[in-house]
Each structure stands twice: as C-alpha cells, then as structure tokens.
Amino acid sequence: MNVRCSGLLALVVASVLPVSVATAKARWWEGAVIYEIYPRSFQDSNGDGVGDLPGIISRLDYLKALGVDAIWLTPIYPSPQVDFGYDVADYTNIDPQFGTLKDFDRLVAEAKKRGIRVLMDMVLNHTSDKHAWFLESMSSKDNPKRDWYVWNSGRTGKDGKRLPPNNWQSLFGHSAWTPAGATSDLYYHFFYKQQPDLNWRNPAVEKAMFDAVRFWLDRGAAGYRFDAVDTLFEVTDLRDAKEGPGVNAYGDPAPDFTLQSKQPEVHDVLRRLRALADSYPGDRLFMGEIYSKDMAELASWYGAKNDELHLPMNMALLPLDVDAASFRKALEAGQTQLGGNVPLFVTDNHDQPRSWDRYGDKTNDTAIARAVATMLLGTRSTALLYYGQEIGMLTTAPTRVEDVKDPIGITGWPKEKGRDGERTPMQWDGSKNAGFTKGTPWLPVPSSAATVNVEAQRNEQDSLFTWYKKLITLRHTNAAVRDGLTTFLDRDAQHAVVWLRTVKSAAPVVFAVNMKAEAVTLTVAADVAQGRVKGLKPLAVSHEVLKSSTPDAISLPPFGVYIGQIQR
Ligand code: NOJ
C-alpha cells in the first residue's frame, strides 16, 4: 500500500527549539560517535578466552575505519569480576586479565594516532567487598575507614536474630543489607552484596574517589562514563520503602527505589566533579548513567547552570516499539526539552538485550536496524554505539541455568536470564571463535557469527556496517548533519519520521525514515517557511531506487531511508 503523506510543513516547532547550539565552537564530543567496548568480549590477544587491552589496540584500525571519535571501556580495574569489573578492588591499576598500565598508555597513544579518544568507566557508588577500604571498614567499629561505607546495627527479631533496619532491596534481588565482619552490623549495597555502597556523606570518600578520577585523566583519559551516579545517596532516616503490588523476577515484592536513589545531594557532588573536569585542558567529557522517563529530571542532570554532567544518558529509545510516533516523540523531546543541551541517545548497551532483537520483527531486521541507526545518528546528538551493533549482532541468552555467568541470571532464572546474551564475543569473521580468541571464549560465540560478522559486511555495499559507516561519514563531513538544528516535519505522519537538519553554513538536509513494513510516498516539495524546494541531492539511500527521488515523491520501501540535501 502506498500512503501519501502531507507535504513538508513549515518549521512548525521553531519557537521551542534551542536557538544557539550551532553558533558556539563545538566541543569535540558534540555530535561525536562514542563506541562502547566491553573489554572481556572485544578481542583476546593471549588465548585465555577473555578480551584484553592489546586485543583492543589490534582493532583500532577497524574502529578508525568505522569512524568512531572515542571509545568507552567498561571497567578494566583489578576486580574479583563478580559483576565483571563493576566491583572494583583498586581504582588506580589495571586487572591483569586485561593487561597492564603500560598497555593502557599504549592504547591511549595508539588511539590518539588514529584520532580516537579513550573514555573510562568510573564506579562511584560502590567498591568490591575485596577492596582494601572495605576490608578495613569491616574489621572493627573504630577502624578509621568504618564510616567509608554505610553500616547499620539493624533490628533484633523475636528470636534474637539480627534483621536489616528496613525493607530496602538491592536492584539485583533480595535485601540491600548484609551482615559482615567482626561486629554484628549490616552494610548497605544497592547492587550485589559483593558491592558495598560507599558513604558519600563522608568527605574522605569524596576525596579518595576524586583522586581516582584524576589518576586516569592525568594518564590521558578523555573523560568518563560514571556508573549508576543517581544511587550515591539514600535518605538518612532509613524509613521503609513502598513495595508491590506483585513480585519481581527474584520473587521479592516489587520494589520502589525512590528512597534509595536520586537524592538532591548527588547534584552537589556532580558540580564539584564538573569543576574537576573543567580544571583539565582538552574538553574532558563526563557522561553519566541515568535512567529517567521524565525529561525535566533528565535535564536536571546537566545542572541548573550547565555545571554537572556534560552528557547524562538519554535511554528513552530503549523501550520503544518500532513506531513513527513514539520515535518522533522521544527524539523531539531530546531536542527541545533538555535546555538546548546535546542529548546522548542510547539504543544498546551491556545491560539491555540488543536492539536487533528488541526492535526487529524477524522479517525486516536489517532494514529496521538501518532505520534505527539513522534516527540515532541523523538527529542532533552525541551517539553511543555498543560493540557489534554496527553489524547487527543478536542477543544470545544462555538456554540452561548452569551456563549463566551473570549472577542476576542465576538468582532470577528463568524469568531473568541475566545479561550474558548481550555480552557475547565480538564477531570478527566466520571462523570457529569468530576471530575473537584462539582459546575457549569466556562466553560461547553464537552460531549466528558464521554469517553475521565484520569480514562478511565490511566490503558489502548493502550491509548494516556500510550503512553505519555512511552515517558516521556524513556526521564528519556535512555541517548540517553534525551540528544542525533538528526540526521534525510531518509530525502527524503515521508511517514515517521526517526531519530537517539546518545550519547557516550549509544546505539543509532532509531525513525520511519509513517505520512500517509497507511502502509510503512522501512529498517534500513545499517548504512554506523557506519557499519551494527545487531539487534533492541524495546523500545516502537504503534502496537504489530512492536515488531518483524528487521533492514531489520520495517513495520509501518498507523501513526505507532517504537522506538528501535540499536545493532551493
Ligand atoms: C550499571 C552497570 O552498567 C551495570 O553493568 C552494573 O551491574 C551496575 N551499574 C552496578 O555497577
């Protein structure tokens, strides 16, 4: 079925759009493409089945060819690896599994040669229970580090048993309080019990963590992704949380984490952290992991005076169905409701099933992935990619509980299978272990690797990889695509998401993405604000036939994409 959409409308939302974004000199990360690497799974160099820093170095040419501006490494510090690095035992060293400080220095230098920056992941909320600070803290009530963590004497149950002080739960299941050490006290942990929360109300904690932040900036890191920043503080009166109705995957009453997260004090910490970033040369970038459905709240993480995180993550695209109205709404909110700040859109990360499966319909998966990539990279934003997204890697969850590596998949089986499915090794080629390792991979290489791999897609004109590369190249070479304002057009259209990128210095670019499995024809002939559109010059098209599009007719096949320069 062909549906005729209304013509290109006036710049209907101009009054609510930020006005000055493209005028100031852009910082390197505005409009950049940041590629998340899960180091365990990217490239193994020594045959132990776990990816490492020399492995990443050996793949930098690939990342350069794809066009990424920076890589973000999930934690590579020494760690018992209960939460695969998010349980840090030493903030100023490298886990021997991943390499050495020398390897890190080499990575930064080699990346720099290729124009790629290196971003680290900093876990501020908690340490490993094997961190020297915690070992000291648990040793006695009068240890100087006792107050570095959140301890409580709890309540005494009828049978004389020690009970937690309240009903607070861990995000990863069951009570957030665990007894430990020489006393009968319990410590608080928002995540695994092997991840005790630091007490951010103690200034010594802030000092120690800020020193750790400086350590990697001094060593050449371009910035950080701050883990779980909104969980640094809890309410102090420890009142019980609301719970239910219903139970979660771990069999606990459905938790409400309001009292355990997003407390106002965290913004003071972020302001001080930002001052630290600003004291360094070179536009260091501080991104933050924030899950929020509320745009006003998301805006607040940039800081009232733009003095907190440079880029809080915008996770609004993650839960969406493939539907024009939902994507348009979420993308437009990112453009208009964040106080003119650059949004940091995310469609994939190491905690969520991959977008290939979340958005795919099993029939048009490549075309859908192309459409989603276009929205991620074609609107004004900094974009995060997750390794393997560019080739359409699938989520491959374990099928038996005995194979699960991620502890939440064991606690929550079978409702919660954990996050192994989105952390499988990078698929470089069609060989036995997909070119990831010569040993036994720490997670099995999915059978899909035989066909879904870099080697198969790299020189293939119609591959997803090539589409990503084209979009990234456009970002780098076309001022409107990199810096231009984003104005959504045809805002009632059911089929397509259509938008215009405009900047003073270059011709406007129109993007049209069909979000349905049926064809649609659009017209962009009449731009009432700017006069008639005389012609279109294709910049990238999902189907050859789209090259002959005219302002009167862009006929998009199912999930087709047209990107073209407007000629007036
Ligand atoms: C968020 C990280 O992305 C996730 O992988 C980790 O388990 C938790 N924070 C705890 O650090």
Side-chain angles (χ1 to χ4, degrees), residues 228-252:
V229 265
D230 57 356
T231 61
L232 299 196
F233 294 89
E234 306 76 44
V235 297
T236 47
D237 65 8
L238 303 186
R239 60 189 183 275
D240 273 344
K242 281 192 239 141
E243 41 180 40
V247 290
N248 64 12
Y250 311 109
D252 302 317

PDB file of all heavy atoms in Angstrom, residues 228-252:
ATOM      1  N   ALA A 228      26.007   4.392  37.436  1.00  0.00           N
ATOM      2  CA  ALA A 228      24.944   4.486  38.447  1.00  0.00           C
ATOM      3  C   ALA A 228      25.035   5.735  39.319  1.00  0.00           C
ATOM      4  O   ALA A 228      24.862   5.666  40.535  1.00  0.00           O
ATOM      5  CB  ALA A 228      24.999   3.229  39.332  1.00  0.00           C
ATOM      6  N   VAL A 229      25.284   6.890  38.697  1.00  0.00           N
ATOM      7  CA  VAL A 229      25.507   8.106  39.500  1.00  0.00           C
ATOM      8  C   VAL A 229      24.332   8.476  40.383  1.00  0.00           C
ATOM      9  O   VAL A 229      24.511   9.110  41.413  1.00  0.00           O
ATOM     10  CB  VAL A 229      25.805   9.371  38.663  1.00  0.00           C
ATOM     11  CG1 VAL A 229      27.258   9.588  38.522  1.00  0.00           C
ATOM     12  CG2 VAL A 229      25.091   9.397  37.354  1.00  0.00           C
ATOM     13  N   ASP A 230      23.128   8.098  39.969  1.00  0.00           N
ATOM     14  CA  ASP A 230      21.983   8.554  40.764  1.00  0.00           C
ATOM     15  C   ASP A 230      21.765   7.739  42.047  1.00  0.00           C
ATOM     16  O   ASP A 230      20.817   7.978  42.775  1.00  0.00           O
ATOM     17  CB  ASP A 230      20.705   8.588  39.909  1.00  0.00           C
ATOM     18  CG  ASP A 230      20.368   7.253  39.282  1.00  0.00           C
ATOM     19  OD1 ASP A 230      21.157   6.305  39.439  1.00  0.00           O
ATOM     20  OD2 ASP A 230      19.308   7.156  38.635  1.00  0.00           O
ATOM     21  N   THR A 231      22.661   6.803  42.320  1.00  0.00           N
ATOM     22  CA  THR A 231      22.466   5.980  43.525  1.00  0.00           C
ATOM     23  C   THR A 231      23.460   6.312  44.653  1.00  0.00           C
ATOM     24  O   THR A 231      23.555   5.573  45.627  1.00  0.00           O
ATOM     25  CB  THR A 231      22.579   4.476  43.179  1.00  0.00           C
ATOM     26  OG1 THR A 231      23.887   4.224  42.661  1.00  0.00           O
ATOM     27  CG2 THR A 231      21.553   4.054  42.153  1.00  0.00           C
ATOM     28  N   LEU A 232      24.189   7.420  44.522  1.00  0.00           N
ATOM     29  CA  LEU A 232      25.225   7.717  45.529  1.00  0.00           C
ATOM     30  C   LEU A 232      24.656   7.929  46.934  1.00  0.00           C
ATOM     31  O   LEU A 232      25.293   7.624  47.927  1.00  0.00           O
ATOM     32  CB  LEU A 232      26.031   8.970  45.146  1.00  0.00           C
ATOM     33  CG  LEU A 232      26.827   8.980  43.845  1.00  0.00           C
ATOM     34  CD1 LEU A 232      27.831  10.114  43.850  1.00  0.00           C
ATOM     35  CD2 LEU A 232      27.505   7.670  43.574  1.00  0.00           C
ATOM     36  N   PHE A 233      23.453   8.488  47.006  1.00  0.00           N
ATOM     37  CA  PHE A 233      22.874   8.806  48.315  1.00  0.00           C
ATOM     38  C   PHE A 233      21.527   8.107  48.503  1.00  0.00           C
ATOM     39  O   PHE A 233      20.790   7.896  47.536  1.00  0.00           O
ATOM     40  CB  PHE A 233      22.641  10.316  48.449  1.00  0.00           C
ATOM     41  CG  PHE A 233      23.917  11.112  48.472  1.00  0.00           C
ATOM     42  CD1 PHE A 233      24.498  11.562  47.285  1.00  0.00           C
ATOM     43  CD2 PHE A 233      24.538  11.414  49.680  1.00  0.00           C
ATOM     44  CE1 PHE A 233      25.676  12.292  47.296  1.00  0.00           C
ATOM     45  CE2 PHE A 233      25.720  12.143  49.701  1.00  0.00           C
ATOM     46  CZ  PHE A 233      26.290  12.588  48.517  1.00  0.00           C
ATOM     47  N   GLU A 234      21.224   7.831  49.778  1.00  0.00           N
ATOM     48  CA  GLU A 234      19.923   7.297  50.165  1.00  0.00           C
ATOM     49  C   GLU A 234      19.361   8.261  51.213  1.00  0.00           C
ATOM     50  O   GLU A 234      20.111   9.039  51.794  1.00  0.00           O
ATOM     51  CB  GLU A 234      20.053   5.904  50.818  1.00  0.00           C
ATOM     52  CG  GLU A 234      20.812   4.891  49.990  1.00  0.00           C
ATOM     53  CD  GLU A 234      22.322   5.107  50.000  1.00  0.00           C
ATOM     54  OE1 GLU A 234      22.878   5.363  51.092  1.00  0.00           O
ATOM     55  OE2 GLU A 234      22.948   5.040  48.921  1.00  0.00           O
ATOM     56  N   VAL A 235      18.064   8.180  51.509  1.00  0.00           N
ATOM     57  CA  VAL A 235      17.538   9.040  52.581  1.00  0.00           C
ATOM     58  C   VAL A 235      18.170   8.590  53.901  1.00  0.00           C
ATOM     59  O   VAL A 235      18.498   7.404  54.082  1.00  0.00           O
ATOM     60  CB  VAL A 235      15.995   8.999  52.689  1.00  0.00           C
ATOM     61  CG1 VAL A 235      15.340   9.530  51.428  1.00  0.00           C
ATOM     62  CG2 VAL A 235      15.485   7.611  53.023  1.00  0.00           C
ATOM     63  N   THR A 236      18.320   9.533  54.830  1.00  0.00           N
ATOM     64  CA  THR A 236      19.058   9.201  56.056  1.00  0.00           C
ATOM     65  C   THR A 236      18.178   8.583  57.141  1.00  0.00           C
ATOM     66  O   THR A 236      18.671   7.889  58.021  1.00  0.00           O
ATOM     67  CB  THR A 236      19.739  10.454  56.647  1.00  0.00           C
ATOM     68  OG1 THR A 236      18.772  11.501  56.661  1.00  0.00           O
ATOM     69  CG2 THR A 236      20.944  10.860  55.832  1.00  0.00           C
ATOM     70  N   ASP A 237      16.852   8.818  57.080  1.00  0.00           N
ATOM     71  CA  ASP A 237      16.042   8.273  58.181  1.00  0.00           C
ATOM     72  C   ASP A 237      15.730   6.780  57.980  1.00  0.00           C
ATOM     73  O   ASP A 237      15.114   6.144  58.835  1.00  0.00           O
ATOM     74  CB  ASP A 237      14.756   9.083  58.363  1.00  0.00           C
ATOM     75  CG  ASP A 237      13.814   8.975  57.165  1.00  0.00           C
ATOM     76  OD1 ASP A 237      14.076   8.155  56.259  1.00  0.00           O
ATOM     77  OD2 ASP A 237      12.809   9.700  57.123  1.00  0.00           O
ATOM     78  N   LEU A 238      16.163   6.234  56.879  1.00  0.00           N
ATOM     79  CA  LEU A 238      16.035   4.789  56.597  1.00  0.00           C
ATOM     80  C   LEU A 238      14.599   4.270  56.710  1.00  0.00           C
ATOM     81  O   LEU A 238      14.378   3.109  57.064  1.00  0.00           O
ATOM     82  CB  LEU A 238      16.954   3.966  57.523  1.00  0.00           C
ATOM     83  CG  LEU A 238      18.441   4.270  57.510  1.00  0.00           C
ATOM     84  CD1 LEU A 238      19.210   3.256  58.365  1.00  0.00           C
ATOM     85  CD2 LEU A 238      19.008   4.256  56.095  1.00  0.00           C
ATOM     86  N   ARG A 239      13.604   5.133  56.418  1.00  0.00           N
ATOM     87  CA  ARG A 239      12.224   4.654  56.503  1.00  0.00           C
ATOM     88  C   ARG A 239      11.959   3.578  55.461  1.00  0.00           C
ATOM     89  O   ARG A 239      12.620   3.551  54.404  1.00  0.00           O
ATOM     90  CB  ARG A 239      11.225   5.806  56.371  1.00  0.00           C
ATOM     91  CG  ARG A 239      11.297   6.577  55.064  1.00  0.00           C
ATOM     92  CD  ARG A 239      10.409   7.816  55.143  1.00  0.00           C
ATOM     93  NE  ARG A 239      10.373   8.565  53.884  1.00  0.00           N
ATOM     94  CZ  ARG A 239      11.272   9.482  53.522  1.00  0.00           C
ATOM     95  NH1 ARG A 239      12.314   9.754  54.296  1.00  0.00           N
ATOM     96  NH2 ARG A 239      11.141  10.126  52.376  1.00  0.00           N
ATOM     97  N   ASP A 240      10.986   2.720  55.749  1.00  0.00           N
ATOM     98  CA  ASP A 240      10.661   1.646  54.819  1.00  0.00           C
ATOM     99  C   ASP A 240      10.210   2.205  53.470  1.00  0.00           C
ATOM    100  O   ASP A 240       9.551   3.244  53.407  1.00  0.00           O
ATOM    101  CB  ASP A 240       9.516   0.781  55.390  1.00  0.00           C
ATOM    102  CG  ASP A 240      10.061  -0.329  56.286  1.00  0.00           C
ATOM    103  OD1 ASP A 240      11.271  -0.620  56.219  1.00  0.00           O
ATOM    104  OD2 ASP A 240       9.264  -0.903  57.055  1.00  0.00           O
ATOM    105  N   ALA A 241      10.551   1.469  52.408  1.00  0.00           N
ATOM    106  CA  ALA A 241      10.122   1.856  51.061  1.00  0.00           C
ATOM    107  C   ALA A 241       8.737   1.261  50.784  1.00  0.00           C
ATOM    108  O   ALA A 241       8.374   0.250  51.381  1.00  0.00           O
ATOM    109  CB  ALA A 241      11.119   1.326  50.046  1.00  0.00           C
ATOM    110  N   LYS A 242       8.034   1.903  49.860  1.00  0.00           N
ATOM    111  CA  LYS A 242       6.779   1.300  49.388  1.00  0.00           C
ATOM    112  C   LYS A 242       7.135   0.031  48.636  1.00  0.00           C
ATOM    113  O   LYS A 242       8.204  -0.042  48.018  1.00  0.00           O
ATOM    114  CB  LYS A 242       6.088   2.246  48.394  1.00  0.00           C
ATOM    115  CG  LYS A 242       5.341   3.383  49.035  1.00  0.00           C
ATOM    116  CD  LYS A 242       4.477   4.056  47.965  1.00  0.00           C
ATOM    117  CE  LYS A 242       4.871   5.518  47.847  1.00  0.00           C
ATOM    118  NZ  LYS A 242       4.902   6.096  46.550  1.00  0.00           N
ATOM    119  N   GLU A 243       6.266  -0.937  48.610  1.00  0.00           N
ATOM    120  CA  GLU A 243       6.545  -2.104  47.761  1.00  0.00           C
ATOM    121  C   GLU A 243       5.261  -2.664  47.171  1.00  0.00           C
ATOM    122  O   GLU A 243       4.176  -2.364  47.644  1.00  0.00           O
ATOM    123  CB  GLU A 243       7.344  -3.174  48.512  1.00  0.00           C
ATOM    124  CG  GLU A 243       6.944  -3.413  49.929  1.00  0.00           C
ATOM    125  CD  GLU A 243       7.776  -4.482  50.625  1.00  0.00           C
ATOM    126  OE1 GLU A 243       8.989  -4.539  50.422  1.00  0.00           O
ATOM    127  OE2 GLU A 243       7.171  -5.269  51.369  1.00  0.00           O
ATOM    128  N   GLY A 244       5.427  -3.508  46.142  1.00  0.00           N
ATOM    129  CA  GLY A 244       4.290  -4.115  45.480  1.00  0.00           C
ATOM    130  C   GLY A 244       3.486  -3.110  44.702  1.00  0.00           C
ATOM    131  O   GLY A 244       3.893  -1.963  44.611  1.00  0.00           O
ATOM    132  N   PRO A 245       2.358  -3.462  44.067  1.00  0.00           N
ATOM    133  CA  PRO A 245       1.835  -4.827  44.088  1.00  0.00           C
ATOM    134  C   PRO A 245       2.690  -5.768  43.219  1.00  0.00           C
ATOM    135  O   PRO A 245       3.433  -5.315  42.352  1.00  0.00           O
ATOM    136  CB  PRO A 245       0.435  -4.653  43.480  1.00  0.00           C
ATOM    137  CG  PRO A 245       0.537  -3.433  42.620  1.00  0.00           C
ATOM    138  CD  PRO A 245       1.563  -2.543  43.253  1.00  0.00           C
ATOM    139  N   GLY A 246       2.542  -7.022  43.454  1.00  0.00           N
ATOM    140  CA  GLY A 246       3.215  -8.031  42.641  1.00  0.00           C
ATOM    141  C   GLY A 246       4.642  -8.294  43.105  1.00  0.00           C
ATOM    142  O   GLY A 246       5.131  -7.659  44.041  1.00  0.00           O
ATOM    143  N   VAL A 247       5.259  -9.243  42.437  1.00  0.00           N
ATOM    144  CA  VAL A 247       6.641  -9.603  42.776  1.00  0.00           C
ATOM    145  C   VAL A 247       7.527  -9.424  41.549  1.00  0.00           C
ATOM    146  O   VAL A 247       7.036  -9.441  40.431  1.00  0.00           O
ATOM    147  CB  VAL A 247       6.758 -11.075  43.273  1.00  0.00           C
ATOM    148  CG1 VAL A 247       6.127 -11.272  44.628  1.00  0.00           C
ATOM    149  CG2 VAL A 247       6.197 -12.050  42.250  1.00  0.00           C
ATOM    150  N   ASN A 248       8.817  -9.263  41.775  1.00  0.00           N
ATOM    151  CA  ASN A 248       9.745  -9.149  40.644  1.00  0.00           C
ATOM    152  C   ASN A 248      10.333 -10.520  40.291  1.00  0.00           C
ATOM    153  O   ASN A 248       9.938 -11.538  40.867  1.00  0.00           O
ATOM    154  CB  ASN A 248      10.827  -8.097  40.940  1.00  0.00           C
ATOM    155  CG  ASN A 248      11.717  -8.495  42.104  1.00  0.00           C
ATOM    156  OD1 ASN A 248      11.694  -9.636  42.559  1.00  0.00           O
ATOM    157  ND2 ASN A 248      12.512  -7.545  42.575  1.00  0.00           N
ATOM    158  N   ALA A 249      11.290 -10.516  39.354  1.00  0.00           N
ATOM    159  CA  ALA A 249      11.859 -11.782  38.861  1.00  0.00           C
ATOM    160  C   ALA A 249      12.561 -12.560  39.959  1.00  0.00           C
ATOM    161  O   ALA A 249      12.754 -13.772  39.852  1.00  0.00           O
ATOM    162  CB  ALA A 249      12.838 -11.492  37.729  1.00  0.00           C
ATOM    163  N   TYR A 250      12.948 -11.878  41.026  1.00  0.00           N
ATOM    164  CA  TYR A 250      13.679 -12.555  42.108  1.00  0.00           C
ATOM    165  C   TYR A 250      12.744 -13.061  43.195  1.00  0.00           C
ATOM    166  O   TYR A 250      13.185 -13.544  44.236  1.00  0.00           O
ATOM    167  CB  TYR A 250      14.726 -11.598  42.717  1.00  0.00           C
ATOM    168  CG  TYR A 250      15.564 -10.918  41.664  1.00  0.00           C
ATOM    169  CD1 TYR A 250      15.419  -9.566  41.377  1.00  0.00           C
ATOM    170  CD2 TYR A 250      16.478 -11.657  40.912  1.00  0.00           C
ATOM    171  CE1 TYR A 250      16.167  -8.958  40.379  1.00  0.00           C
ATOM    172  CE2 TYR A 250      17.229 -11.062  39.919  1.00  0.00           C
ATOM    173  CZ  TYR A 250      17.071  -9.706  39.648  1.00  0.00           C
ATOM    174  OH  TYR A 250      17.807  -9.114  38.664  1.00  0.00           O
ATOM    175  N   GLY A 251      11.420 -12.869  42.991  1.00  0.00           N
ATOM    176  CA  GLY A 251      10.437 -13.346  43.968  1.00  0.00           C
ATOM    177  C   GLY A 251      10.214 -12.366  45.116  1.00  0.00           C
ATOM    178  O   GLY A 251       9.513 -12.673  46.080  1.00  0.00           O
ATOM    179  N   ASP A 252      10.785 -11.154  45.030  1.00  0.00           N
ATOM    180  CA  ASP A 252      10.595 -10.148  46.084  1.00  0.00           C
ATOM    181  C   ASP A 252       9.388  -9.279  45.744  1.00  0.00           C
ATOM    182  O   ASP A 252       9.068  -9.102  44.564  1.00  0.00           O
ATOM    183  CB  ASP A 252      11.826  -9.232  46.169  1.00  0.00           C
ATOM    184  CG  ASP A 252      13.111 -10.006  46.430  1.00  0.00           C
ATOM    185  OD1 ASP A 252      13.077 -10.918  47.279  1.00  0.00           O
ATOM    186  OD2 ASP A 252      14.137  -9.695  45.789  1.00  0.00           O
TER     187      ASP A 252
END
